[in-house]
Amino acid sequence: MKLTIPAFVGRIAFSALAALIGAIFALPLLWFLFAPFNARAELGLALPDPWTLNNFVTVFGNSYAVQALWNSFIQAAGGVILVGAAATLAAYALSRSSIPGKSAVTYILLLFSSVVSGSAAMVPIFLIISAAGLMDTHIAVILTFAGGLLPTAMFILRDFIDSIPKSYEESAMVAGASPVQAFFDVALPVIRPGIVVVVVWAFVNIWGSFLIPFILLRSDSNMPASVAIYSFYSEAGTPIVTLLAAYSLIYSLPVIALYLFVSWKFGFRFFGGIKA
Amino acid sequence: MASVEFKNVTKSFGEFKAVADVSFDIGDGEFVCLLGPSGCGKTTSLRMMAGLETPTSGQIFIGGQEVTHLHPKDRNIAMVFQDYALYPHMNLADNIAYPLKVRGEAVAARHGRAKEVADVLKIGHLMDRLPSQISGGQQQRTSLARALVYPAKVYLFDEPLSNLDAKLRLEARGFLNHLQRDMGMTAVYVTHDQAEAMALATRIAVMDHGHIVQFASPIEIYRRPATTFVANFVGNPPMNLVEAEGAQVDGKLALKAEGLTIAGLAMTDAIGKALATSNKLTLGVRPEHLGIAQTGAANTITAPLFANENMGPESLVTLDRGDSARVTARIFTDDHLDLSQVVTLGFSAEHVHLFDSTGKRIPALGE
Ligand SMILES: Nc1ncnc2c1ncn2[C@@H]1O[C@H](COP(=O)(O)OP(=O)(O)OP(=O)(O)O)[C@@H](O)[C@H]1O
Ligand SMILES: [Mg+2]
């Protein structure tokens, strides 16, 4: 097929525009990849010369920064386990039982959840946590995130479980399984891809969150990495770009690793029903 | 093996009665088909036997023991689901052996038994596959194998063949029939395919709107359908029903309808009683009892030809009596029928069924 001249010009213009937009989005990513290995990194984009790991050595020499990564991990893992387990059980019950008004429950919770983890609820959350004597503990952060993320997690999972035929568990029970056995032997393995999606989503949410730990935690030894990044500022308040860049890269690695692991292991693909 | 009994069982969903005051008795070793149109309550009845649904009122007994509120796992029954419900994350061996697993059998023993059953069903070579990696017919046999792998009191089937193509369906039907003869199992089999019910059942329960309309052997249902509903549901094609006005003339029954010529039928007390309420009767004749006849002869129906379908050994000749009241004849002949625009079909008086104005069968002489 031959293109007419105007169409040809139009294509070139379109491609050029697309490339420009792509480049604009790629620049910060390139900085993100280059700066950590540059001993004289600045906010401008530059190829490291020479490539060096010195920035990382400095970061790992900073015990506060390393402790913060560990804290992030504790809080994210704790939150994920709580959200994953509670959302699975709650969503299963909401999907399979015949409680009247069960969908109203889900929608109301969903509505309020955006409030709980949003900044509007910060004062009440602060008061509740401090009244419970949980101020400056990992538990405080974990519970707050669990409360905020659970409704959405439940909603996603309930939808997922609704789409799985009841006959799986029913056939297990007719075959002699108790409801608990049917859940663990048959339902849970089929729901697992949905749980994985929720877990990854919750992990990313907690790992990247700044405000809640910043407010609920006091001591440096409990701060997660998202807050600790602030320690790479000089007394004058200007960022120490070299350390910041290296730390950011380390900070984003667990999330990338999680995505890769999940897509390798589960492929973000659902079993669904069997087609006849 | 055990008997199954329903005593005045009703199941309501809100205001709607899916099963309405149903009572029946299924004997030990019987193969009963629940037959009826979509939505008549077949699956609901079956699920109540399995314990997956609790009756709103009434009682259910299995082997003489009341099970109305017993959990499915404690009933020792086996069920084949319409969608097979094979566990997608387990291979065939684990799928088939699952009932043995929950019964606490060791891995080697249960896989051995699963293989035995699978071999009988000709899926023994597929034991390592996942359900998504086998064909529909093989999935159906896997779900059958899972039901047969342990000795159950009652076997329940919910339209197990409906997802199969015509050829596989016939094959599976034959196999089920053989199995029933072999094992003498008590089975309840839901279907809306009357041919399947006729072929498999020792008795058929015809259901309509949550009620059992007739519960009898296939031959009884074929020969003496209790209502026009049953007559119109069973048979391939189903019975022709012609609405007619009845009157007693010279001690004989005369029927009047467009295109119908009928010699005086023998009067009975039952016919007399029906006529006393209403003269609207329904005449029923099965397609296989109709043949090409001389126009104007006794016991004939004359109407314009609507369709003439050649089915190989037989032809289906359909006449249109107006208002979509059609009459179909199954004519067994090797000759090519040369049918003109208007056709006359004849029948003999002994093949006539009569129904009263409410659709109830009027017993023939000697019934
Ligand atoms: N859980 C439910 N809630 C409300 N109504 C229901 C429920 N289950 C079944 N029904 C209704 O009860 C009636 C009988 O349903 P059932 O599934 O027993 O029909 P069926 O005879 O098996 O039909 P089919 O041949 O289409 O499977 C239907 O009208 C259906 O809409
Ligand atoms: Mg059904």
Side-chain angles (χ1 to χ4, degrees), chain B residues 57-311:
Chain B
S57 66
Q59 290 169 296
I60 299 173
F61 298 85
I62 294 179
Q65 182 205 356
E66 178 169 1
V67 298
T68 316
H69 297 284
L70 208 60
H71 190 273
K73 75 173 162 53
D74 301 319
R75 297 191 182 203
N76 198 16
I77 42 171
M79 184 164 173
V80 176
F81 288 73
Q82 183 171 358
D83 63 358
Y84 310 146
L86 298 176
Y87 314 132
H89 58 288
M90 295 186 195
N91 63 21
L92 260 54
D94 286 329
N95 258 291
I96 297 171
Y98 185 73
L100 302 176
K101 184 185 170 202
V102 296
R103 282 170 173 70
E105 276 197 36
V107 180
R110 64 180 194 244
H111 279 175
R113 172 83 187 119
K115 181 80 166 74
E116 274 173 37
V117 178
D119 280 338
V120 174
L121 287 159
K122 302 199 184 77
I123 45 172
H125 58 295
L126 301 169
M127 298 300 264
D128 295 328
R129 304 260 193 101
L130 289 174
S132 56
Q133 297 165 337
I134 58 176
S135 75
Q138 291 163 340
Q139 288 178 9
Q140 191 270 337
R141 276 176 279 164
T142 307
S143 72
L144 199 58
R146 191 175 58 189
L148 297 174
V149 78
Y150 59 105
K153 285 185 183 163
V154 183
Y155 293 82
L156 307 177
F157 301 89
D158 192 355
E159 308 202 27
L161 311 186
S162 62
N163 288 339
L164 299 183
D165 66 39
K167 186 167 168 290
L168 276 175
R169 186 188 280 217
L170 279 185
E171 205 179 293
R173 197 174 84 185
F175 179 78
L176 277 174
N177 191 296
H178 169 78
L179 206 65
Q180 148 74 2
R181 287 169 197 287
D182 217 33
M183 293 173 53
M185 57 176 165
T186 309
V188 183
Y189 187 103
V190 163
T191 178
H192 54 233
D193 179 350
Q194 58 90 25
E196 222 167 271
M198 295 298 261
L200 288 171
T202 55
R203 277 198 297 162
I204 298 176
V206 183
M207 292 189 74
D208 183 28
H209 286 102
H211 297 275
I212 291 191
V213 189
Q214 189 170 11
F215 193 9
S217 68
I219 196 70
E220 174 78 10
I221 283 184
Y222 175 79
R223 289 201 180 137
R224 285 180 281 277
T227 65
T228 48
F229 173 81
V230 177
N232 200 16
F233 204 82
V234 173
N236 185 24
M239 186 184 283
N240 296 299
L241 298 172
V242 178
E243 286 177 16
E245 273 172 31
Q248 190 172 348
V249 181
D250 302 335
K252 295 273 187 183
L253 174 67
L255 289 173
K256 248 176 52 191
E258 175 71 31
L260 182 70
T261 315
I262 196 157
L265 293 167
M267 250 332 258
T268 62
D269 291 349
I271 296 176
K273 242 191 253 164
L275 282 178
T277 344
S278 160
N279 69 344
K280 297 230 176 305
L281 300 182
T282 303
L283 167 85
V285 187
R286 292 216 173 267
E288 48 274 41
H289 295 145
L290 285 169
I292 304 292
Q294 287 277 294
T295 311
N299 298 343
T300 56
I301 300 170
T302 305
L305 183 68
F306 178 75
N308 180 11
E309 301 157 84
N310 195 323
M311 318 281 286

Side-chain angles (χ1 to χ4, degrees), chain B residues 11-14 16-19 36-47 53 82 158-159 190-192 207:
Chain B
K11 176 68 185 180
S12 310
F13 295 107
F16 178 75
K17 279 189 180 168
V19 174
S38 191
C40 70
K42 308 180 295 288
T43 298
T44 309
S45 303
L46 201 72
R47 290 171 59 83
E53 214 83 69
Q82 183 171 358
D158 192 355
E159 308 202 27
V190 163
T191 178
H192 54 233
M207 292 189 74

